[in-house]
Amino acid sequence: MSDTVTLQPPMEARIATAARRLLDARRTRTRITLDDLALTEAAHAYAVQDLVIQSLGPIGGWKVGAKGPDREPTCAPLPAAGILATPATLPDGAWRVRGIETELALRIDTDLPERDAPYTLDEVIAAIGAVLPTIEVVETRLREFPQAAPLAMLADLGAHGALVTGAALSFQSGLLATQKLAAQQWFDDRQVADSVGGNPAQDLGRVLVWLANHCASRGLGLRQGQIVTTGSCTGMLFAPAACRVRGTVVGLGGCEVGFVTGGD
């Protein structure tokens, strides 16, 4: 008896299926899996992102980060509708993960459009107009979270839920070296994080240049007004229900978000 071989559909069809499942999960607030679709390259996950963001509306920003100073960065577009000014309020019923990360973000004030020549660090720095503290609220559509396959997480916009932004301040290029950057986080009145140099990327200049060139290669570019958040300074902590969260990037201010019990 010969072994039965199950053939996968073409990758283009698998990418479309992944995007449809993720969008359906957002609409119905259910959990899904992408494990059976065998997304095997980062390019597949980014193709899923492109289809998802086309349905979610304009891009208001990007999340980018690296798990180490020599690791390849990853990124995801952020729907403009999910970028909220502090103080923000979110309903517990729609936010089951409530992963919280306090981060340093940057505002792009000059377009970095798609082009053939790679962007340099000087060009990227010149495009940055402001720095601001943020809280990323992590949410996932994946049943296997937090053990989901990394490419599935990447396809799911990097498990992005919302971004809460504090007041913008003048950008100084010295902030791109994060080894001395301090951040703190509170759940109600309980301090849950107090870190220095917690962003594993360390050199944000490298990460931002990678992002500018990656976005250009995807035919998107970075656009004026977009907010780029650069990775957690505190690690990811999970807020309890009915909690008010505060995050501070020391010297740059803070922001807050509250979860309302019973909301949907």
Side-chain angles (χ1 to χ4, degrees):
M1 182 185 301
S2 61
D3 293 336
T4 300
V5 177
T6 301
L7 297 177
Q8 285 279 11
M11 182 52 68
E12 184 175 337
R14 282 181 267 163
I15 288 168
T17 297
R20 184 177 66 252
R21 287 183 188 174
L22 289 167
L23 289 166
D24 287 347
R26 285 174 176 270
R27 188 187 71 254
T28 60
R29 295 178 185 167
T30 55
R31 293 289 187 260
I32 53 96
T33 186
L34 301 180
D35 285 357
D36 59 311
L37 296 177
L39 303 176
T40 57
E41 300 176 12
H44 303 156
Y46 291 131
V48 175
Q49 289 183 5
D50 288 344
L51 294 177
V52 169
I53 199 68
Q54 286 173 19
S55 293
L56 294 182
I59 296 173
W62 289 84
K63 63 178 291 183
V64 66
K67 293 184 177 180
D70 300 317
R71 297 284 296 274
E72 174 83 358
T74 59
C75 70
L78 309 184
I83 299 178
L84 312 170
T86 188
T89 300
L90 298 172
D92 268 335
W95 300 85
R96 289 176 284 185
V97 175
R98 295 189 298 276
I100 304 296
E101 299 180 338
T102 297
E103 307 192 4
L104 172 73
L106 305 159
R107 190 185 70 215
I108 302 299
D109 277 8
T110 303
D111 286 351
L112 295 173
E114 54 273 27
R115 72 181 196 187
D116 293 332
Y119 283 103
T120 66
L121 178 59
D122 286 345
E123 289 176 305
V124 173
I125 288 176
I128 299 171
V131 61
L132 55 165
T134 60
I135 291 174
E136 184 181 14
V137 183
V138 173
E139 185 58 59
T140 184
R141 278 50 63 178
L142 298 177
R143 187 179 303 140
E144 299 86 2
F145 180 87
Q147 284 80 38
L151 289 181
M153 294 275 284
L154 186 59
D156 186 25
L157 300 189
H160 174 72
L163 189 71
V164 180
T165 63
L169 298 174
S170 177
F171 169 69
Q172 303 294 326
S173 61
L175 292 168
L176 297 180
T178 65
Q179 291 90 337
K180 295 183 179 180
L181 191 66
Q184 300 168 340
Q185 197 165 276
W186 290 262
F187 292 167
D188 293 323
D189 294 327
R190 178 171 61 96
Q191 187 171 11
V192 294
D194 186 1
S195 66
V196 177
N199 188 320
Q202 296 186 19
D203 177 11
L204 298 185
R206 178 184 77 93
V207 170
L208 293 167
V209 170
W210 177 90
L211 178 67
N213 289 313
H214 172 88
C215 290
S217 72
R218 281 168 75 170
L220 296 170
L222 293 174
R223 302 300 179 189
Q224 181 182 17
Q226 289 181 344
I227 304 297
V228 177
T229 190
T230 58
S232 179
C233 296
T234 56
M236 181 166 57
L237 299 170
F238 298 93
C243 177
R244 178 150 290 276
V245 174
R246 291 183 293 129
T248 297
V249 179
V250 176
L252 299 177
C255 49
E256 62 180 79
V257 56
F259 295 93
V260 180
T261 300
D264 59 4

